[in-house]
Amino acid sequence: MTGVKRKKNNVVWRKINSFHCADFKQWCLRRLPILEWAPCYNLKENLIPDTVSGIMLAVQQVTQGLAFAILSSVHPVFGLYGSLFPAIIYAIFGMGRHVATGTFALTSLISANAVERLVPQTSQNFTTYSNSGVLGLSDFEMQRIGVAAAVSFLGGIIQIAMFVLQLGSATFLLTEPVISAMTTGAATHVVTSQVKYLLGMKMPYISGPLGFFYIYAYVFENIKSVQLEALLLSLLSIVVLVLVKELNEQFKRKIKVVLPVDLVLIIAASFACYFANMEYTYGLDVVGHIPDGIPSPKAPSMNILSEVVTEAFGVALVGYVASLALAQGSAKKFKYSVDDNQEFLAHGLSNVIPSFFFCIPSAAAMGRTAGLYSTGSKTQVACLISCILVLIVIYAVGPLLYWLPMCVLASIIVVGLKGMLIQFRDLKKYWNVDKIDWSIWVSTYIFTICFAANVGLLFGVVCTIAVVIARFPRAKTLNLTNLNEMEYKVKTEVEGCEQNTLLNSTSNGTCNGETPQPYPNEKCSVILDCIGLTFFDYTGVSTLVQVYMDFKSQNIDFLLANCTASLKKAVQYCGHLESDKHIFFESVSAAIGAIHLNKNLSKFSDHSEV
């Protein structure tokens, strides 16, 4: 009896061992996407474009790191750290192959609220001469980065908790109008926060509800204090940046490497400020001393976590939503898939682990991701190459950025937000496709402007849920069990049989129960009966257009039957299908008749199947 029991235990143990080995391997491939694409990396085809993209990305990472650190109310050097560690973590755990993670304007703006609230500027008088012993920075600066790192840590923990709870499946509530409006409103907030640097004004930190309007009220009340030199240098920088970037975009197919105008502007402005002694002659604000090297890791201040919960939730939600939209966009563009839950894990770890290295909250940025597109990046190797260059800047080049004028840095931020700001153009397409989506966009934008990005996002999600609930009672459902009654006859010259084709999943148009052989030149068609579509929104119409495009790329006809006039107009506008009016039919029978009218049924090679 004991021997039998031991034998059974051995069998069970072997099964457990074999299960765990297979399961662990599958888990590694699913949770460490780098193990999927790295072994298949083609050095010959991908290394050169990834290297070029990595060099261009490093320029953006350095400039935006400095700028967004100041936006987060911490010392600029911490922005360089924030451009290094999150990018490495995301390259290992992230699924977006063309997503550039690092410092992000929206998360920096949110974390600045906690920094200014817990370590206000007024407390600098008591700590400015007290050296912390870390990089030669004052206790005041270290207290500030301690708060920002705590926000990053807690925000990452929240994202990891959402991954554990599998909340990625709830992202369907984050519709395109909501994300577009939220990011546009947040970008408007970021531009507003840079006004004081663009104008060279001394301005107290203003935040909270309606803070957007209070900032401009303060500017107009103190318009006489505008520094003319800073204003002129800002205007010149913006003009140069916009002009050169437009030329780069226009001629990117003719030139192999675009001009890194951000880097050129930083070097030119720093040299001009140094030789003209603008810091003392004209009183221009400069970046100041940037220490070299990376300090030893240190845990964030855990005793203040309860005081930064609001900002942490904002960082977790806003950062994830903006990053997921970019990851899904790149996946759609380059034909690969992205797991919403895995992105929660990737961005959560990209916030938690770097917080031990004095990093501000991170996320993917539209400007950097668009840069990877334009320079022909293939994989996350481009981001890893950029990390090597950022590391060189941290140890060797950083101190040379002392004389970089703040107004030039602010100009780089503003121009870098162009991609978000031009989303105002989306209003036209929402109006033409679904006016309810247009209303959600406008109201979400207003809430974001008046309050904050996380408030605007929450409002947009609530509006989406309310619209779905209101529309649901109007929805019609079709009983699939009755589809076998929808039968039509197609007469073909295949072995002289007349075949009955049923519009259901159990029948594939066979003769006498036998499966017909596939034909090499067989042309397939798909008919979608839209009689049950009682309402639609922009996301639904976009999906329908994408399905049409996918079928068209595979040389498959995709026809729509029983479309309402409004749906037909929306599909034509959204997919630019004004010339493809032959895809719309009044009924399924009319669509079937059109298919067989356009086929030469007398030829074996032209056999058509629906």
Side-chain angles (χ1 to χ4, degrees):
M1 192 71 179
T2 307
V4 174
K5 188 179 293 185
R6 186 182 297 122
K7 186 176 180 180
K8 287 184 178 180
N9 288 338
N10 289 337
V11 171
V12 173
W13 181 250
R14 282 198 299 271
K15 287 184 178 180
I16 291 174
N17 281 340
S18 61
F19 171 78
H20 276 299
C21 290
D23 189 55
F24 180 72
K25 182 179 179 181
Q26 186 180 7
W27 180 89
C28 288
L29 291 174
R30 190 169 66 251
R31 299 306 171 205
L32 298 170
I34 192 173
L35 298 179
E36 183 178 349
W37 60 263
C40 306
Y41 187 78
N42 191 324
L43 287 172
K44 187 177 180 180
E45 293 184 5
N46 297 340
L47 186 58
I48 292 179
D50 279 344
T51 301
V52 173
S53 298
I55 294 172
M56 302 302 296
L57 177 61
V59 175
Q60 289 182 299
Q61 289 279 36
V62 171
T63 55
Q64 292 183 1
L66 296 171
F68 296 155
I70 294 171
L71 183 62
S72 192
S73 298
V74 299
H75 194 279
V77 72
F78 299 119
L80 297 179
Y81 304 155
S83 300
L84 173 64
F85 294 105
I88 297 174
I89 302 300
Y90 185 83
I92 298 172
F93 293 94
M95 299 189 71
R97 300 173 193 171
H98 303 80
V99 173
T101 302
T103 55
F104 185 44
L106 308 188
T107 54
S108 296
L109 193 63
I110 293 172
S111 66
N113 292 332
V115 173
E116 293 289 347
R117 188 181 75 252
L118 299 178
V119 190
Q121 191 71 31
T122 53
S123 65
Q124 185 177 9
N125 298 330
F126 304 100
T127 58
T128 190
Y129 298 109
S130 177
N131 193 303
S132 66
V134 180
L135 300 174
L137 298 176
S138 66
D139 284 336
F140 174 76
E141 294 291 354
M142 296 311 298
Q143 288 173 15
R144 288 201 147 197
I145 187 57
V147 175
V151 173
S152 178
F153 175 81
L154 187 56
I157 292 296
I158 293 172
Q159 289 174 327
I160 294 174
M162 291 178 175
F163 159 75
V164 173
L165 296 174
Q166 298 290 295
L167 294 182
S169 57
T171 54
F172 73 93
L173 295 172
L174 303 172
T175 60
E176 185 176 329
V178 173
I179 296 174
S180 174
M182 183 274 293
T183 53
T184 306
T188 309
H189 271 297
V190 175
V191 171
T192 301
S193 70
Q194 298 304 298
V195 167
K196 62 180 180 180
Y197 297 118
L198 295 172
L199 302 179
M201 295 180 64
K202 303 295 182 183
M203 183 187 303
Y205 182 79
I206 301 175
S207 65
L210 304 181
F212 174 85
F213 303 100
Y214 291 136
I215 290 175
Y216 285 106
Y218 184 91
V219 169
F220 286 115
E221 288 175 1
N222 299 271
I223 196 69
K224 293 182 180 180
S225 62
V226 171
Q227 197 173 10
L228 185 60
E229 294 82 5
L231 177 59
L232 293 176
L233 189 55
S234 299
L235 291 175
L236 179 62
S237 300
I238 291 174
V239 170
V240 170
L241 288 168
V242 172
L243 183 62
V244 175
K245 288 191 175 186
E246 286 296 326
L247 291 175
N248 282 340
E249 186 67 24
Q250 195 167 5
F251 296 103
K252 65 181 180 181
R253 294 183 179 179
K254 297 181 180 179
I255 55 178
K256 294 183 178 180
V257 180
V258 297
L259 178 65
V261 61
D262 293 359
L263 178 62
V264 173
L265 181 62
I266 286 175
I267 295 174
S270 299
F271 270 103
C273 184
Y274 172 73
F275 287 108
N277 199 19
M278 293 182 182
E279 181 183 6
Y280 299 105
T281 305
Y282 303 109
L284 285 182
D285 286 337
V286 296
V287 170
H289 173 63
I290 297 181
D292 56 349
I294 299 176
S296 301
K298 180 183 177 182
S301 303
M302 301 296 173
N303 58 329
I304 62 172
L305 292 183
S306 60
E307 301 181 60
V308 297
V309 172
T310 303
E311 288 80 9
F313 266 103
V315 164
L317 295 177
V318 174
Y320 172 77
V321 168
S323 302
L324 181 64
L326 294 174
Q328 290 176 337
S330 65
K332 182 178 178 181
K333 184 179 179 69
F334 296 100
K335 308 299 181 185
Y336 60 88
S337 61
V338 170
D339 183 358
D340 297 349
N341 280 309
Q342 179 65 23
E343 290 298 290
F344 263 130
L345 176 64
H347 288 290
L349 294 176
S350 297
N351 276 311
V352 171
I353 298 175
S355 68
F356 288 81
F357 294 89
F358 305 96
C359 292
I360 60 179
S362 65
M366 182 181 291
R368 295 194 298 266
T369 302
L372 290 179
Y373 290 171
S374 62
T375 52
S377 170
K378 301 296 183 182
T379 65
Q380 279 288 329
V381 170
C383 295
L384 295 176
I385 292 174
S386 74
C387 291
I388 297 174
L389 299 177
V390 170
L391 197 61
I392 294 173
V393 171
I394 291 174
Y395 276 95
V397 184
L400 301 179
L401 299 173
Y402 178 98
W403 294 278
L404 176 61
M406 291 295 298
C407 58
V408 174
L409 205 54
S411 301
I412 293 174
I413 293 177
V414 171
V415 176
L417 293 170
K418 176 190 171 186
M420 291 185 182
L421 294 173
I422 62 175
Q423 291 179 132
F424 278 109
R425 297 185 300 187
D426 294 345
L427 284 170
K428 182 180 178 181
K429 66 182 182 182
Y430 296 138
W431 179 264
N432 284 283
V433 174
D434 185 17
K435 292 178 175 56
I436 293 180
D437 277 346
W438 182 89
S439 302
I440 291 176
W441 196 103
V442 172
S443 57
T444 301
Y445 177 80
I446 292 174
F447 263 75
T448 303
I449 287 295
C450 292
F451 300 99
N454 50 342
V455 177
L457 179 63
L458 181 61
F459 175 81
V461 170
V462 170
C463 286
T464 301
I465 295 173
V467 169
V468 170
I469 293 175
R471 282 174 160 177
F472 187 78
R474 295 166 45 199
K476 297 179 181 178
T477 58
L478 297 178
N479 189 351
L480 296 179
T481 58
N482 294 329
L483 283 180
N484 56 359
E485 299 175 1
M486 298 176 60
E487 182 177 334
Y488 64 90
K489 293 183 178 181
V490 179
K491 198 168 187 177
T492 63
E493 296 182 3
V494 182
E495 298 180 357
C497 79
E498 182 180 89
Q499 92 183 50
N500 295 329
T501 304
L502 303 179
L503 295 179
N504 65 358
S505 58
T506 59
S507 172
N508 54 6
T510 60
C511 292
N512 301 323
E514 298 178 1
T515 304
Q517 297 298 320
Y519 301 100
N521 297 322
E522 184 176 310
K523 180 71 178 288
C524 296
S525 300
V526 174
I527 301 174
L528 178 63
D529 188 358
C530 300
I531 194 170
L533 299 180
T534 55
F535 63 86
F536 56 87
D537 58 10
Y538 180 81
T539 303
V541 173
S542 298
T543 303
L544 198 59
V545 170
Q546 185 60 44
V547 170
Y548 168 78
M549 294 299 181
D550 290 341
F551 278 123
K552 188 175 182 180
S553 65
Q554 300 176 41
N555 198 28
I556 298 175
D557 290 333
F558 182 67
L559 310 179
L560 300 175
N562 294 309
C563 289
T564 61
S566 57
L567 178 60
K568 181 178 177 181
K569 178 182 176 182
V571 171
Q572 287 180 327
Y573 178 84
C574 190
H576 305 288
L577 305 178
E578 287 79 4
S579 60
D580 293 345
K581 296 182 180 179
H582 60 276
I583 70 172
F584 302 100
F585 295 90
E586 294 181 357
S587 63
V588 175
S589 300
I592 294 171
I595 291 173
H596 295 286
L597 184 65
N598 295 328
K599 302 290 189 292
N600 186 358
L601 299 179
S602 63
K603 293 184 180 180
F604 178 83
S605 61
D606 290 335
H607 173 73
S608 178
E609 172 187 288
V610 180

